[in-house]
Amino acid sequence: EVQLVESGGGLVQPGRSLKLSCLASGFTFSNYGMNWIRQAPGKGLEWVASISSSSSYIYYADTVKGRFTISRDNAKNTLYLQMTSLRSEDTALYYCARREMDAWGQGASVTVSS
Amino acid sequence: DIVLTQAPLSVSVTPGESASISCRSSKSLLSSKGITSLYWYLQRPGKSPQLLIYQMSNLASGVPDRFSSSGSETDFTLKISKVETEDVGVYYCGHRLEYPLTFGSGTKLEIK
């Protein structure tokens, strides 16, 4: 069974940093590109970043470019999202999803507030 | 950026009846490989989104054939036949033609 489990969310002050992780199982992680997608409270889906299977290709939404970094460790079957200079508008549930978005995690909650 | 416009904002359906949701793209979603890069997702209350339809008209694994999708290069329709209570949630269209990836704003399906 394909599983994606996010962790690392929490409450953080504006301007601080946080790193999310997504542990994959049930499929060959190194064969798949991955995405981070977020959902602000009561709002719709917003794509955040994508990374190819070998990390050769990386893309970011303009809203996070220069502040967030997507990365992966294929040996650990883990996807990461390093978030810096956090703002209140980054408050959201952050999902990791496989490239084809045919598998999603349960989400990690990030709240940016003083 | 590609803008996806969904309609209606919400739809209320009697169980057993059909429902249709529209998604209009600001740009053709037909790729150079001949694939129409339009996807449909369902987010049930309190749950993560799940893929329903990929490449405009292909049913994702495990999705009942009450769901179907069709369209052109810019206009798409998700049809749900014989709506069941488990179909309640928010439906999103999305594309993967180019970056940035974008989603429609969602259509909420409720049961009468």
Side-chain angles (χ1 to χ4, degrees):
Chain A
E1 179 194 3
V2 173
Q3 275 201 315
L4 298 168
V5 180
E6 300 93 338
S7 60
L11 173 63
V12 62
Q13 293 179 326
R16 304 298 291 264
S17 301
L18 201 63
K19 187 173 185 177
L20 303 181
S21 300
C22 170
L23 178 62
S25 61
F27 65 101
T28 305
F29 180 69
S30 58
N31 287 350
Y32 287 82
M34 297 293 294
N35 301 291
W36 285 103
I37 295 144
R38 67 185 181 183
Q39 186 170 35
K43 301 296 184 182
L45 302 173
E46 179 189 14
W47 169 77
V48 173
S50 297
I51 187 169
S52 63
S53 57
S54 60
S55 305
S56 299
Y57 301 97
I58 288 174
Y59 304 92
Y60 296 99
D62 285 346
T63 51
V64 306
K65 199 174 294 182
R67 299 188 299 122
F68 289 13
T69 302
I70 188 172
S71 63
R72 64 191 296 160
D73 185 336
N74 286 343
K76 295 182 177 180
N77 289 343
T78 303
L79 175 73
Y80 302 101
L81 186 67
Q82 175 71 56
M83 303 182 291
T84 64
S85 303
L86 282 162
R87 306 166 179 168
S88 57
E89 53 264 38
D90 295 319
T91 293
L93 191 59
Y94 284 74
Y95 295 103
C96 65
R98 216 155 58 166
R99 178 182 179 272
E100 290 75 13
M101 298 198 196
D102 57 342
W104 297 63
Q106 84 289 350
S109 179
V110 173
T111 301
V112 184
S113 174
S114 54
Chain B
D1 298 0
I2 294 174
V3 177
L4 298 176
T5 303
Q6 285 186 235
L9 198 61
S10 66
V11 60
S12 185
V13 187
T14 300
E17 294 189 342
S18 296
S20 290
I21 298 169
S22 167
C23 177
R24 176 167 292 180
S25 174
S26 62
K27 176 181 176 178
S28 169
L29 297 184
L30 181 63
S31 74
S32 58
K33 297 180 180 179
I35 292 170
T36 304
S37 181
L38 188 279
Y39 299 76
W40 289 100
Y41 308 88
L42 165 60
Q43 186 173 32
R44 293 188 172 100
K47 301 295 185 183
S48 303
Q50 68 169 100
L51 178 67
L52 293 176
I53 301 285
Y54 64 97
Q55 295 172 5
M56 188 177 72
S57 58
N58 298 288
L59 218 54
S61 177
V63 175
D65 60 8
R66 300 183 293 100
F67 292 87
S68 63
S69 172
S70 61
S72 62
E73 296 182 17
T74 57
D75 288 274
F76 309 95
T77 301
L78 175 70
K79 183 177 180 181
I80 312 165
S81 304
K82 301 178 183 176
V83 168
E84 299 183 3
T85 54
E86 66 176 25
D87 300 334
V88 164
V90 180
Y91 290 79
Y92 295 95
C93 59
H95 79 86
R96 283 198 5 239
L97 183 70
E98 61 189 28
Y99 292 97
L101 308 183
T102 56
F103 297 91
S105 55
T107 295
K108 186 174 186 178
L109 185 145
E110 299 174 320
I111 297 294
K112 282 183 182 174

